Amino acid sequence: MGAKNVFLKNVKIRDEFWEKEMELIRTEVIPYQWEALHDRVEGAAPSYCIHNFEVAARRNRKIREEKGAYQPPVYTTTGFCVWPESLERVEERFYGFVFQDSDLYKWLEAVAYSLVWHPDERLTAMADEAIELICAAQQEDGYLDTFYIINDLDQRFTDLRDHHELYCFGHLAEAGVAYYRATGKDKLLKAACRFADCIMEHLGAEPGKKPGYPGHEIAEMALMELYEVTGEKKYLDLGAYFLNERGKRPYYFDREHEVPLGEKDAERYHYHQSHIPVREQREAVGHAVRGVYLYSGMADYARISGEEEMAEACRALFENIYTQKLYITGGIGGTHLGEAFSFPYDLPNDTAYAETCASIGLVFFARRMLQLEEKRQYADVMELALYNGVLAGMALDGKSFFYVNPLEVVPEACHKDERKFHVKPVRQKWFGCACCPPNLARMIGSIGSYVFTETDDTLFLNLYIGCEAVMRKAGSEATVVVESKFPWSGKVNVCVEGDGKAKWSVAFRIPQWSGWTQETAVEKVRRQLDREAQITARDGYVYVKKSWGKETICLDFPMKAMLVQANDRVRETEGQVAVKRGPVVYCLEEIDNGKDLHRIRILDHPEFQETWGMIQGNKIIEIEGKGAVRTALSTRELYQEYRSNGYEQKTLRWVPYYTWANRGEGEMRVFSRILEEK
Ligand code: FUB
Ligand code: ZN
């Protein structure tokens, strides 16, 4: 059941926009992150990641220190591991967050994708060195988590709720699969399999095993991938086991933490999406990254198993995010409390969390939903998140990052208002909790695997990214070349070359923002093809079925700046509008529009002008339009009787949201009040 994604190796990106991003990842981001993981970037928060692996590898060689000499670390409320002040830093200790290992795995995954795109001896050497180090830390029984290897192996698998060893395993497995697929080298993949086998020895339904599951999801989807690449059903079964156990009563996490029954509310563990069994879940709740990673695993399982009940839960969860919990930027997570989804339509702009990893996870989920059923809303969301919430996470030079992606920023508030301390007005060089930067690197590096999905007789074009792809269709080889200038122009040429022997379909997504109906799209395509072609449309895709010789189809989606409003249940943006052009969301920045952006009004007929511009050497389309600013009050009183003060005309300049904060610190707004003309 379901569609496959077309593997990265079969898709060569030929796209001005994304090639630049991928080159940035290869030449700047990956080497920079290697330095960061080694704690060699001046002024950046330390990672300790490589340090921890080195210590664990040394431990592995030596007999473990006597337990009595061990003094346990203490944790801050955010889970950061610090050592009692009385103790000086000792080189042989674990430092940083308990999931620090995952940063190296994500980095390796990014290298794997980059090597597919561009062979690079230096990167290969770095990656092979990292893999040696990881394997040197692995225990004989396959166990591999530096926190417990360094601290106390007897404590492993005792805190699945908070201790992230299954999360680190998930990232290890994803890296192992990626590196194997990219290079054919299986050392890391084998390490992942050995860790999976070790996990199976300890967790599961059989007597003597713990009936546990991950506190932070990702192992579920990673196990599905491990199954697909190795063909070993035991990995699928373990992934399914984790999915099936989640939410069962009594809660495993209660047993593990000895929480007395009856304490707290009856339905807890929303944060971990463990409040109810996954098949019953309909609302996206809790920690947003965990949520979308879980839903991705569920969607994989639904596709592989063909189970309708699981598919139905996935559909409902996606729909819930899409209609009630999604920022216009493709961000998710309305509250920093628990880095979580908030209640429906609660999408504050200035306190938004919208973690970069959450947008990335949403792309994972959306792609997997496309594999379950080809409906354009999944690809629309994927595209939205990619060009906005994801890319905003990284500076244009690839050297600093956002963790949180707000839609409104006043720098003074970020510095002085504790409620906004999570919002940074400038990107950071690194983070103590550095989940986002290497996640970005692996996401951008693998962009080619999001363009298409395919079944035996249909190729779905989901994202209009320029590329060349080779595939087998209906028993013969076919080549598809996509020429695109997205996200700046809606013109796309798709050249298909087949041997003409069998009929198969190419299905083109009709982006929701294009305003094209299915009938319009069918008509536009029909005019370009001979009568033999069967052209139909459903769920936002135009299907063209024919025996393909060499043919080119031109699509010209209208891409122009428009005003967008949110559903009026979103209290935060009532009476406000944002500017969007095709898939790109725009924002106002202080550097272009002056201070006090809150006083700006957008006219309901702004007469946009679109021109090419440049930010930090990056070509963009910038937008100008007529706007207004409320005339400043002449008194200094805090309150006074209302009288209309009138407005002054002002030309407003918008730049793509993903480029904000690349020209120094300043205010930023995505939504502004509208001034409706009578
Ligand atoms: O817990 C691991 C990662 O750290 C999560 O995915 C992020 O949200 C951050 O909390
Ligand atoms: Zn993150």
Side-chain angles (χ1 to χ4, degrees):
M1 174 177 153
K4 290 186 289 184
N5 74 313
V6 178
F7 180 50
L8 202 56
K9 269 198 164 163
N10 301 336
V11 183
K12 298 247 170 316
I13 296 294
R14 300 271 178 268
D15 183 280
E16 203 183 333
F17 186 88
W18 286 103
E19 274 186 71
K20 193 161 196 291
E21 293 291 335
M22 289 166 74
E23 266 305 273
L24 188 68
I25 296 293
R26 183 177 80 84
T27 57
E28 297 290 342
V29 178
I30 290 175
Y32 175 85
Q33 296 192 355
W34 180 244
E35 293 305 296
L37 294 173
H38 280 86
D39 303 323
R40 295 193 293 237
V41 177
E42 218 184 302
S47 158
Y48 302 116
C49 184
I50 296 289
H51 161 88
N52 292 334
F53 273 104
E54 284 173 347
V55 176
R58 283 197 286 274
R59 279 289 160 100
N60 214 6
R61 271 182 247 128
K62 284 194 284 174
I63 301 164
R64 272 184 29 230
E65 284 171 15
E66 276 180 44
K67 266 202 210 158
Y70 169 71
Q71 274 195 262
V74 288
Y75 292 93
T76 64
T77 46
T78 57
F80 194 72
C81 171
V82 290
W83 293 93
E85 270 179 28
S86 58
L87 295 177
E88 282 177 21
R89 181 178 165 184
V90 177
E91 283 310 317
E92 292 306 294
R93 290 210 174 113
F94 178 95
Y95 287 90
F97 282 89
V98 291
F99 45 85
Q100 227 65 343
D101 293 3
S102 60
D103 293 343
L104 183 58
Y105 300 146
K106 280 188 254 185
W107 177 88
L108 271 167
E109 199 182 331
V111 175
Y113 301 139
S114 184
L115 292 178
V116 172
W117 149 251
H118 195 301
D120 184 319
E121 279 178 20
R122 194 168 141 242
L123 289 191
T124 305
M126 285 178 186
D128 288 343
E129 181 190 324
I131 291 169
E132 286 302 320
L133 178 62
I134 291 164
C135 292
Q138 186 163 34
Q139 302 295 288
E140 261 177 22
D141 66 356
Y143 187 77
L144 185 41
D145 183 278
T146 64
F147 179 86
Y148 286 112
I149 294 172
I150 295 171
N151 288 332
D152 187 357
L153 273 166
D154 292 344
Q155 293 299 312
R156 63 195 184 160
F157 302 124
T158 56
D159 185 2
L160 298 186
R161 188 184 71 185
D162 299 331
H163 251 279
H164 284 68
E165 54 205 323
L166 298 179
Y167 169 81
C168 290
F169 156 73
H171 277 299
L172 167 65
E174 297 208 327
V177 167
Y179 205 69
Y180 169 68
R181 282 190 167 140
T183 64
K185 297 181 191 171
D186 64 2
K187 191 162 186 175
L188 196 65
L189 178 67
K190 282 188 172 152
C193 291
R194 289 177 58 219
F195 192 10
D197 296 343
C198 167
I199 291 167
M200 268 180 264
E201 289 294 310
H202 293 263
L203 307 180
E206 297 82 11
K209 296 186 184 176
K210 294 178 179 176
Y213 51 88
H216 191 315
E217 303 90 328
I218 193 180
E220 299 81 353
M221 65 169 146
L223 283 160
M224 306 293 159
E225 273 200 87
L226 213 52
Y227 159 67
E228 291 191 305
V229 77
T230 63
E232 295 266 15
K233 188 163 171 300
K234 59 184 178 181
Y235 300 134
L236 174 64
D237 293 343
L238 182 62
Y241 178 75
F242 286 159
L243 291 175
N244 295 337
E245 286 306 299
R246 185 171 290 277
K248 271 194 187 165
R249 309 283 179 98
Y251 295 113
Y252 176 74
F253 296 149
D254 275 3
R255 285 191 261 166
E256 188 182 52
H257 285 263
E258 290 174 14
V259 177
L261 286 179
E263 199 185 277
K264 297 194 197 159
D265 57 321
E267 273 204 355
R268 52 189 168 280
Y269 296 122
H270 286 75
Y271 174 81
H272 304 84
Q273 295 80 33
S274 313
H275 53 302
I276 49 173
V278 296
R279 289 173 181 78
E280 293 168 27
Q281 298 195 20
R282 294 292 179 270
E283 183 180 356
V285 295
H287 186 274
V289 180
R290 293 174 201 237
V292 280
Y293 282 11
L294 168 67
Y295 311 148
S296 300
M298 289 164 62
D300 275 339
Y301 181 73
R303 171 179 56 82
I304 294 168
S305 66
E307 189 202 299
E308 182 49 31
E309 202 185 339
M310 189 69 93
E312 194 46 42
C314 294
R315 277 184 207 110
L317 287 162
F318 192 93
E319 181 72 9
N320 176 253
I321 294 173
Y322 187 52
T323 58
Q324 301 183 359
K325 301 199 175 187
L326 181 66
Y327 280 102
I328 189 175
T329 53
I332 48 173
T335 171
H336 72 286
L337 297 170
E339 310 181 297
F341 288 107
S342 189
F343 59 91
Y345 305 106
D346 187 43
L347 295 165
N349 295 317
D350 58 348
T351 55
Y353 204 69
E355 182 180 338
T356 305
C357 286
S359 285
I360 292 171
L362 183 61
V363 175
F364 297 160
F365 182 30
R367 209 275 310 279
R368 284 162 171 83
M369 288 309 293
L370 276 173
Q371 290 179 249
L372 256 188
E373 52 187 29
E374 291 288 342
K375 293 194 171 169
R376 75 125 175 256
Q377 74 189 46
Y378 304 130
D380 279 341
V381 167
M382 203 160 78
E383 183 184 71
L384 181 76
L386 281 168
Y387 285 108
N388 302 287
V390 171
L391 282 184
M394 187 169 76
L396 294 170
D397 67 3
K399 289 198 175 120
S400 57
F401 306 89
F402 275 139
Y403 187 122
V404 164
N405 293 281
L407 284 81
E408 180 183 322
V409 163
V410 173
E412 189 179 7
C414 302
H415 299 309
K416 298 182 182 164
D417 179 352
E418 215 169 320
R419 292 165 303 177
K420 293 177 189 155
F421 278 178
H422 62 286
V423 176
K424 303 287 175 229
V426 288
R427 292 178 181 81
Q428 313 287 293
K429 285 185 174 181
W430 202 250
F431 307 86
C433 170
C435 48
C436 302
N439 221 1
L440 267 164
R442 70 178 183 137
M443 171 83 261
I444 294 171
S446 58
I447 192 73
S449 60
Y450 293 84
V451 178
F452 303 102
T453 41
E454 63 172 344
T455 58
D456 286 344
D457 65 355
T458 307
L459 177 72
F460 295 89
L461 183 44
N462 303 312
L463 294 180
Y464 292 104
I465 292 180
C467 62
E468 284 175 32
V470 182
M471 60 205 64
R472 289 195 79 72
K473 280 278 146 283
S476 54
E477 198 152 278
T479 308
V480 175
V481 177
V482 180
E483 291 169 2
S484 157
K485 293 268 182 291
F486 265 48
W488 310 123
S489 157
K491 277 202 180 103
V492 184
N493 291 333
V494 185
C495 175
V496 185
E497 197 171 345
D499 60 12
K501 287 186 191 147
K503 285 192 178 185
W504 54 279
S505 304
V506 180
F508 304 92
R509 164 177 153 254
I510 312 163
Q512 191 255 349
W513 48 257
S514 71
W516 279 10
T517 61
Q518 294 191 159
E519 292 70 33
T520 312
V522 166
E523 199 37 49
K524 302 240 181 212
V525 174
R526 190 187 304 284
R527 275 194 236 134
Q528 304 177 43
L529 292 168
D530 56 33
R531 281 162 174 259
E532 181 236 340
Q534 292 164 252
I535 305 169
T536 52
R538 63 176 181 277
D539 297 327
Y541 282 78
V542 187
Y543 288 73
V544 182
K545 185 167 187 181
K546 68 192 302 296
S547 43
W548 295 90
K550 190 170 180 180
E551 255 115 347
T552 299
I553 295 178
C554 307
L555 302 162
D556 194 357
F557 300 116
M559 196 186 265
K560 55 181 177 30
M562 60 171 85
L563 296 179
V564 179
Q565 62 182 348
N567 184 298
D568 50 22
R569 291 186 203 172
V570 182
R571 295 173 319 284
E572 279 284 329
T573 49
E574 175 56 20
Q576 300 187 31
V577 288
V579 174
K580 195 165 173 243
R581 185 178 180 281
V584 178
V585 174
Y586 279 71
C587 67
L588 295 169
E589 281 199 278
E590 180 180 332
I591 191 167
D592 303 311
N593 301 285
K595 267 198 175 305
D596 294 339
L597 295 180
H598 64 279
R599 288 175 45 223
I600 281 179
R601 301 289 184 271
I602 301 181
L603 305 188
D604 56 6
H605 294 96
E607 295 173 22
F608 290 125
Q609 267 107 52
E610 304 174 359
T611 50
W612 284 107
M614 204 62 125
I615 294 187
Q616 305 284 8
N618 285 259
K619 244 169 68 178
I620 53 155
I621 284 197
E622 54 187 44
I623 297 171
E624 281 195 358
K626 275 204 240 160
V629 180
R630 252 191 101 198
T631 308
L633 298 172
S634 51
T635 81
R636 295 176 64 83
E637 289 168 56
L638 195 51
Y639 299 103
Q640 56 195 258
E641 188 179 353
Y642 174 76
R643 66 191 151 72
S644 172
N645 224 30
Y647 293 89
E648 286 154 25
Q649 273 201 10
K650 182 175 171 74
T651 301
L652 304 176
R653 178 176 185 242
W654 287 267
V655 294
Y657 171 73
Y658 77 85
T659 67
W660 89 274
N662 275 283
R663 295 171 291 164
E665 185 173 307
E667 292 181 28
M668 182 277 291
R669 270 184 100 96
V670 171
F671 279 96
S672 296
R673 287 183 190 81
I674 184 119
L675 190 63
E676 286 176 355
E677 289 174 319
K678 297 185 184 105

